[in-house]
Amino acid sequence: RETVARLILRRLPESPTRAETAAGVALLDDVQARFLSGASFDELAGRYSEHPSAARGGAVDAAAAAELGAPFARVLAGLEVGELSDVVR
């Protein structure tokens, strides 16, 4: 299966508080900064992602990407190969 995206997914509670949302976004912002500073995406995904793809460096195929829903699909459609998105909620 062809990889269409690599991701690091963190789950929020069903009805997160502002503090829980802020903490989740802050963690992902920190992970993104580490990647931009040269850290391995594979290692970051393995350590921080809660998605089943974490063991594969966050690599997902089209079917797995589609399961993530419309917000992710919209962001993915707007990215060029190799481009990094902002945090998606």
Side-chain angles (χ1 to χ4, degrees), residues 17-86:
T17 64
R18 285 187 175 147
E20 289 169 328
T21 300
V25 170
L27 173 65
L28 290 173
D29 284 343
D30 180 62
V31 170
Q32 185 177 43
R34 290 175 192 221
F35 174 70
L36 293 172
S37 294
S40 162
F41 195 95
D42 287 354
E43 291 176 16
L44 293 169
R47 180 171 181 185
Y48 294 103
S49 185
E50 296 174 345
H51 190 267
S53 67
R56 297 183 308 278
V60 294
D61 62 17
E67 292 175 6
L68 294 170
F72 183 78
R74 279 192 298 275
V75 170
L76 185 59
L79 293 175
E80 298 292 328
V81 173
E83 189 175 2
L84 181 67
S85 78
D86 290 329

